Amino acid sequence: MLSAESIKRIDYEITKYPADQRRAAVMSALRIVQTERGWLSKESISEVAAYLRMPDIAAMEVATFYNMYDLAPAGKYKITICTNISCMLRDSDAIVLHLQTRLGVGFNQVTADGKFCLKEGECMGACGGAPLMMVNNHTMHEFLTTEKVDVVLEALK
Amino acid sequence: MTTRVAKAKDVKVKAPVMSDLKGQTLLCLRTMKEKNPASLATYEKLGGYVQLKRIVAEKVKAIDIINQVKVSNLRGRGGAGFPTGLKWSFMPRYFDGIKYLVCNSDEGEPGTFKDRDILRYNPHQLIEGMAIAAYTLGARVGYNYIHGEIWQDYEIFENALHEARAAGYIGENLFGTNFSVDLYAVHGYGAYICGEETALIESIEGKKGQPRFKPPFPASYGVFGKPTNVNNTESFASIPWILQHGGEAFAALGVPNSGGTKLFSVSGHVEKPGNYEVKMGTPFSELLGMAGGVWKGGKLKAVIPGGPSTPVMTAEMIQNATMDYDGLSKAGSSLGAGSMIVMDETTCMVKTLKRLSYFFYEESCGQCTPCREGTGWVYRVINRIASGHGKMEDLELLTSVSSNISGRTICALGDAAATPVLSFIKHFRSEFEYYIQHGKSMVDGK
């Protein structure tokens, strides 16, 4: 069941659209539920669909199309690092190597303690701060160095 | 692999030091010189919302506003460069029902990050621009669709909307008239394709971001099937200035065919990556100088001037070019969204193209066969070359597959995917040949 807090947030998003277009809030609703639960199970997606009165498959289509939704557990902290051209030119490869070595996982893997998951991201639209990474989709860390990555990881308890 | 790692310090959301603004003509980012650039008080102090109030209170005619925008020579800042005033004139004047306005802040083309600075440093100018557009076009509701990855900036913008609503700049019966407009922030969640306006509209409706076949264009069938006008963030943010100073003044800032200022996102191998707002027609060398020149005093090798959907240029091609539509077109490329990616002589063009090709393969929405299949094919062939197993005929294969994607898809992603392949091979062919013959890079020997 969706939590009261999630429903409150989803209801706010619904107010942005005409009354007969409730499903338009699905992008936000999936984001809200994922933020609360860590990832989107089939059951979570169905609950969102039911709340927005749309077919399960339509919500599933959205969840599978956009790559910031996680359809499998992604650790307590999902770290998404951009490796696209502007980050690559500022040596994101060295940051990737450092993250993989330190966490002991490759892309799309979760550490044994379930704490971290590493993902390769596409351009995040913040290339002036390259190289950069996001933690749990909503916190961006820019101008990364290996030292700075260590500081960020230490702070994630 | 090189071991160079950026040493710059983290930056919080604040205005940069003054020296960074030297040489810039701040128009869309006019609050940047202030202490709290994003606040309503700052924007009001600089004359913010005065134009909106004047236009609404004096009931200025829509046609007069559209004419000013036409005179200004403002061309769509999202990359296509379509004249904004002309686009506005396509919106049906009379329509029995709700019309929509959409702001496209879904910048996800590699190297593009200009709209982000408008959202986080000058959100109220964007809101005023959208509100003026809504008044002009008779739109009752507007959405600003923001790239999901810049979440902190989404929150700054949404907060600015709450401030504007509380201050009576958006909402019901503004300034005691019968004009009402509601503006909302909505977000993407990781899909480059949603920068395409009809994919973006699908996404606003809560669907997969797959582009619609055009016609019908959004002006007749847009959000929820209603007439919709879509403009880029920077285009909307230019509107208040144009109406304050007049279209002619805006046009005069630039050069013929390219009015006003332009935000250039400079990234890659420069000393000071970031956004630079300069007059259209600014020489490339001047812009590069503002960005501190090539990183660590290196030698310039290549520049992608407007994002990867614009052809790559060699240092020779761009060194004397001016940064405007005609200037870059004459020099053999295009202005695009003003996303200038700088590469120094240590850059391997084969590996760079491999990364770009992977991007387009990953981001193809899968709707049209030439793009869905072609982008994967192109990536596999370049990957084969970059792994040392390339064949000489692969270069012709890449050219032929790319040319066959281009122009055969519903949206421009197909053309965008073909552009880097064709231009990289055209201008750096010897590097590709060397890689195929020796199984390693001419540049880094790996």
Side-chain angles (χ1 to χ4, degrees):
Chain A
M1 227 178 70
L2 299 175
S3 71
E5 180 60 26
S6 281
I7 286 177
K8 199 176 113 194
R9 287 170 187 269
I10 295 170
D11 284 347
Y12 165 67
E13 298 298 330
I14 291 172
T15 63
K16 297 177 179 176
Y17 307 99
D20 61 348
Q21 297 290 347
R22 211 176 149 85
R23 69 169 280 175
V26 69
M27 295 281 291
S28 293
L30 291 171
R31 183 251 310 160
I32 289 162
V33 173
Q34 173 167 298
T35 304
E36 186 182 276
R37 298 180 179 175
W39 65 290
L40 294 172
S41 64
K42 270 190 186 158
E43 292 70 30
S44 295
I45 295 168
S46 294
E47 285 172 49
V48 166
Y51 191 70
L52 297 177
R53 294 174 215 140
M54 64 196 282
D56 278 17
I57 186 67
M60 181 62 85
E61 273 188 357
V62 170
T64 53
F65 187 84
Y66 299 88
N67 65 24
M68 287 166 72
Y69 297 117
D70 294 302
L71 306 177
K76 188 175 175 191
Y77 300 107
K78 179 180 73 162
I79 295 173
T80 314
I81 174 147
C82 176
T83 58
N84 212 311
I85 179 165
S86 298
C87 284
M88 184 184 108
L89 294 172
R90 303 295 289 207
D91 211 10
S92 56
D93 282 357
I95 306 297
V96 170
L97 187 67
H98 184 71
L99 278 165
Q100 291 183 334
T101 311
R102 196 183 147 131
L103 300 177
V105 292
F107 284 134
N108 302 315
Q109 292 175 342
V110 183
T111 54
D113 60 3
K115 196 169 164 188
F116 293 105
C117 175
L118 192 60
K119 298 242 174 193
E120 183 173 28
E122 283 304 342
C123 185
M124 297 170 190
C127 324
L132 51 88
M133 66 184 192
M134 281 190 311
V135 175
N136 287 346
N137 285 345
H138 297 164
T139 309
M140 194 179 280
H141 297 278
E142 299 173 74
F143 301 104
L144 293 177
T145 59
T146 52
E147 296 81 16
K148 190 168 168 188
V149 168
D150 289 340
V151 174
V152 171
L153 293 181
E154 288 300 328
L156 300 174
K157 296 298 175 199
Chain B
M1 184 189 301
T2 59
T3 49
R4 291 188 314 201
V5 172
K7 285 280 186 286
K9 278 193 211 131
D10 192 8
V11 283
K12 293 277 177 302
V13 176
K14 61 175 185 195
V17 289
M18 283 301 290
S19 62
D20 282 351
L21 302 176
K22 216 176 135 200
Q24 297 193 47
T25 304
L26 299 173
L27 192 155
C28 288
L29 293 178
R30 67 171 143 163
T31 52
M32 290 291 273
K33 286 177 186 156
E34 306 292 320
K35 214 169 164 195
N36 296 306
S39 79
L40 176 60
T42 300
Y43 188 58
E44 284 175 326
K45 192 180 87 181
L46 299 182
Y49 290 111
V50 168
Q51 296 309 310
L52 174 67
K53 191 174 177 180
R54 172 180 69 86
I55 285 161
V56 175
E58 294 175 9
K59 296 190 168 39
V60 174
K61 281 196 188 119
I63 189 73
D64 294 337
I65 298 172
I66 291 177
N67 280 338
Q68 283 301 314
V69 177
K70 279 184 177 167
V71 168
S72 78
N73 250 336
L74 173 66
R75 293 173 60 174
R77 300 295 196 232
F82 193 81
T84 305
L86 188 59
K87 195 178 207 178
W88 284 14
S89 67
F90 294 157
M91 271 290 268
R93 206 78 62 79
Y94 305 101
F95 176 78
D96 188 19
I98 231 174
K99 288 188 275 186
Y100 288 92
L101 191 76
V102 169
C103 175
N104 184 345
S105 297
D106 190 42
E107 48 182 3
E109 174 141 329
T112 315
F113 50 94
K114 64 188 181 66
D115 299 339
R116 180 192 188 201
D117 277 3
I118 295 173
L119 295 171
R120 64 177 171 166
Y121 295 134
N122 198 6
H124 285 287
Q125 188 162 324
L126 172 57
I127 294 170
E128 185 179 13
M130 287 180 72
I132 291 170
Y135 169 87
T136 309
L137 303 170
R140 179 65 178 79
V141 176
Y143 295 109
N144 185 8
Y145 185 97
I146 299 171
H147 199 48
E149 284 86 343
I150 49 168
W151 186 257
Q152 287 141 314
D153 309 312
Y154 172 86
E155 291 188 321
I156 291 171
F157 182 78
E158 183 152 63
N159 185 55
L161 282 177
H162 295 322
E163 277 184 311
R165 205 167 286 127
Y169 294 129
I170 53 173
E172 306 273 325
N173 300 106
L174 297 177
F175 315 111
T177 70
N178 60 4
F179 170 63
S180 304
V181 62
D182 293 316
L183 299 180
Y184 301 104
V186 295
H187 65 82
Y189 225 51
Y192 166 64
I193 191 63
C194 290
E196 198 279 341
E197 62 180 10
T198 58
L200 187 153
I201 288 169
E202 289 282 300
S203 189
I204 289 178
E205 295 181 356
K207 298 168 187 164
K208 287 188 287 186
Q210 289 189 322
R212 295 175 180 173
F213 196 81
K214 295 187 271 191
F217 289 92
S220 48
Y221 191 92
V223 177
F224 306 126
K226 307 290 188 225
T228 301
N229 177 76
V230 187
N231 285 126
N232 171 258
T233 315
E234 191 184 349
S235 306
F236 279 128
S238 303
I239 298 297
W241 196 96
I242 291 171
L243 293 169
Q244 184 184 347
H245 301 273
E248 280 175 25
F250 185 84
L253 285 173
V255 290
N257 228 359
S258 305
T261 56
K262 176 83 191 80
L263 270 162
F264 286 95
S265 306
V266 186
S267 69
H269 292 153
V270 290
E271 280 294 327
K272 293 188 288 182
N275 282 309
Y276 295 87
E277 187 171 19
V278 296
K279 291 173 181 166
M280 281 284 197
T282 297
F284 162 77
S285 55
E286 215 170 280
L287 182 58
L288 182 65
M290 277 183 211
V294 180
W295 203 19
K296 296 174 180 171
K299 189 167 169 255
L300 184 68
K301 176 173 184 173
V303 176
I304 296 175
S309 61
T310 64
V312 68
M313 302 167 83
T314 61
E316 292 70 35
M317 287 166 72
I318 200 169
Q319 62 186 358
N320 294 320
T322 54
M323 304 302 283
D324 56 277
Y325 293 101
D326 292 351
L328 286 167
S329 166
K330 256 190 293 183
S333 188
S334 157
L335 183 75
S339 325
M340 189 169 110
I341 304 168
V342 176
M343 290 165 265
D344 71 14
E345 60 194 338
T346 67
T347 312
C348 170
M349 301 312 275
V350 179
K351 287 169 185 161
T352 305
L353 181 61
K354 179 185 147 187
R355 185 61 188 86
L356 289 177
S357 298
Y358 181 78
F359 169 73
F360 287 111
Y361 160 58
E362 170 71 26
E363 297 295 333
S364 173
C365 81
Q367 189 174 211
C368 311
T369 312
C371 177
R372 181 183 67 238
E373 302 302 323
T375 52
W377 193 359
V378 163
Y379 170 67
R380 288 191 298 276
V381 174
I382 297 172
N383 190 38
R384 177 162 80 203
I385 297 174
S387 339
H389 304 294
K391 293 173 276 190
M392 222 29 125
E393 53 268 35
D394 282 347
L395 294 180
E396 300 323 311
L397 179 62
L398 284 171
T399 308
S400 136
V401 174
S402 297
S403 308
N404 278 308
I405 300 173
S406 204
R408 290 177 169 81
T409 53
I410 287 176
C411 85
L413 190 140
D415 310 306
T419 301
V421 181
L422 298 171
S423 63
F424 271 62
I425 294 177
K426 182 175 172 195
H427 297 306
F428 298 94
R429 192 177 179 96
S430 61
E431 240 182 85
F432 284 82
E433 289 172 350
Y434 182 96
Y435 214 121
I436 292 168
Q437 282 162 351
H438 298 83
K440 59 183 182 181
S441 170
M442 181 198 249
V443 179
D444 58 21
K446 289 174 198 162

